[in-house]
Amino acid sequence: MPWRDHQLLPRQEGDRPARRRRRIYRQGLVSGCPFITREHYITAFGSCFASEVTKYLYREGYQVFGRDMKLNSYVVRSGEGIVNSAAIRQQFEWAFEGKTPKIELWHDKEGVPGDYSDEVRQATRAIFEKSDIFILTLGLSEVWYDKSTGEIFWRAIPKRDFDPERHGFRVLGAVENLDNLRRTYQLIRAHRPDATVIMTLSPVPLAATFRPVSCITASAVSKASLRVAIDELMREVGPSADSKLYYFPSYEMVTSFLPNPMKDDFRHPTEESVEFIMQTFKRNFLR
């Protein structure tokens, strides 16, 4: 299939060709024709940026599961904390295959552990089986893991539970991230073959690192590992094989396109940046 360019960014008033030299194009990464309607069921979870996506879709009247907090599922109640590729994979393997971690891995932002009850698993599976659109927002590659099992936690270990003999820290490489994303994609295709999968990378950088390097450096590596893995999956699958797999470049819009995109904390995109990103998403995906 020949490559074709699709304009991603909306034209601005007074725009000139020289100012638009950084248009973002990619066949198979953004939709040439918006297709998501208010009749579709959408699941969006992953990093904290997923909550921005969820809020916008809810405000626009779309059926997004993340706003129904009555649902007893971690992808709803703690979805913005499932930030690494291994944690996302865990949710799909648990929901669809009943694969339960050997130890307590999941904690919300207050450090409250999440159990592996069948009620929550079935609720998660029901959400996945009903979803027409999956929006998976990857956040970081730095993870904490259990040394005895090798299993990866959602977040850093709560201070009260930390045991240096038991808990270890490492960075997921691009190969590991690709393996996790590939497995997640395969599970979605096995159980929801007609669903659309949209992957995106959160533009929110690390606030701190446990590596003996600058946080700025660690953040760049963390994002790069995920970005390479996403691109590898996109090229591995290919638009000719799966026209319902997309990458939406929110990360690139913040890091390479928008002027002064961050708040004073240099971590979170401004409201104007988020609005621009979501208007671009709307233009390409929402009907």
Side-chain angles (χ1 to χ4, degrees):
M1 175 181 292
W3 291 99
R4 295 183 309 220
D5 289 343
H6 293 304
Q7 182 174 314
L8 174 65
L9 300 175
R11 182 176 295 277
Q12 303 294 309
E13 184 177 353
D15 207 17
R16 298 178 180 178
R19 294 177 183 172
R20 296 175 58 77
R21 64 184 180 275
R22 290 187 294 178
R23 291 175 183 168
I24 304 172
Y25 296 89
R26 188 66 168 173
Q27 159 71 8
L29 301 188
V30 292
S31 169
C33 180
F35 59 88
I36 300 176
T37 71
R38 289 173 177 81
E39 283 67 53
H40 286 115
Y41 286 94
I42 304 168
T43 294
F45 73 101
S47 78
C48 59
F49 191 71
S51 65
E52 297 288 355
V53 177
T54 296
K55 286 188 291 185
Y56 179 86
L57 292 173
Y58 182 78
R59 189 172 72 239
E60 291 292 309
Y62 289 84
Q63 300 187 89
V64 57
F65 282 112
R67 291 295 294 186
D68 188 351
M69 303 308 286
K70 297 178 182 179
L71 292 172
N72 193 17
S73 170
Y74 299 128
V75 299
V76 171
R77 292 191 283 112
S78 303
E80 79 286 354
I82 305 176
V83 295
N84 63 72
S85 64
I88 291 176
R89 173 179 176 169
Q90 287 169 9
Q91 287 298 295
F92 283 95
E93 289 185 330
W94 182 55
F96 283 136
E97 298 184 330
K99 184 176 180 181
T100 302
K102 298 180 179 66
I103 62 165
E104 183 182 277
L105 288 179
W106 304 339
H107 302 83
D108 65 18
K109 59 184 178 181
E110 278 78 38
V112 178
D115 62 30
Y116 306 132
S117 74
D118 194 59
E119 177 189 352
V120 179
R121 187 182 78 83
Q122 292 296 342
T124 305
R125 178 170 183 140
I127 289 173
F128 288 167
E129 288 180 336
K130 194 173 184 179
S131 294
D132 303 299
I133 315 291
F134 292 92
I135 303 175
L136 305 179
T137 304
L138 284 301
L140 52 83
S141 299
E142 293 194 356
V143 298
W144 287 88
Y145 69 98
D146 180 79
K147 292 180 179 179
S148 63
T149 66
E151 294 175 315
I152 294 172
F153 294 87
W154 280 357
R155 297 178 166 89
I157 314 302
K159 185 176 180 180
R160 67 175 184 274
D161 299 328
F162 180 71
D163 179 356
E165 297 299 317
R166 175 186 173 190
H167 301 130
F169 169 84
R170 66 188 183 89
V171 180
L172 296 177
V175 173
E176 285 182 282
N177 279 320
L178 173 59
D179 184 57
N180 290 331
L181 295 181
R182 182 190 292 121
R183 180 63 176 147
T184 298
Y185 169 76
Q186 290 171 345
L187 284 167
I188 292 173
R189 281 289 164 262
H191 296 271
R192 295 292 290 123
D194 296 325
T196 294
V197 181
I198 303 172
M199 293 189 177
T200 187
L201 180 59
S202 170
V204 179
L206 293 174
T209 180
F210 292 93
R211 297 181 62 191
V213 299
S214 161
C215 184
I216 295 174
T217 302
S219 185
V221 172
S222 180
K223 298 294 184 181
S225 177
L226 283 166
R227 185 63 191 91
V228 168
I230 295 170
D231 193 68
E232 289 280 353
L233 179 65
M234 299 297 300
R235 289 187 284 127
E236 183 179 290
V237 175
S240 60
D242 190 344
S243 62
K244 293 187 176 182
L245 174 64
Y246 298 94
Y247 172 70
F248 179 70
S250 55
Y251 174 76
E252 288 83 350
M253 277 186 264
V254 169
T255 59
S256 303
F257 184 82
L258 292 172
N260 303 316
M262 293 297 195
K263 295 180 179 179
D264 291 342
D265 62 4
F266 293 102
R267 291 197 64 242
H268 296 94
T270 63
E271 293 179 5
E272 293 79 10
S273 296
V274 173
E275 182 65 18
F276 180 86
I277 291 169
M278 294 313 304
Q279 285 296 324
T280 305
F281 184 90
K282 177 179 180 179
R283 182 172 180 266
N284 284 272
F285 291 103
L286 304 181
R287 288 172 57 185

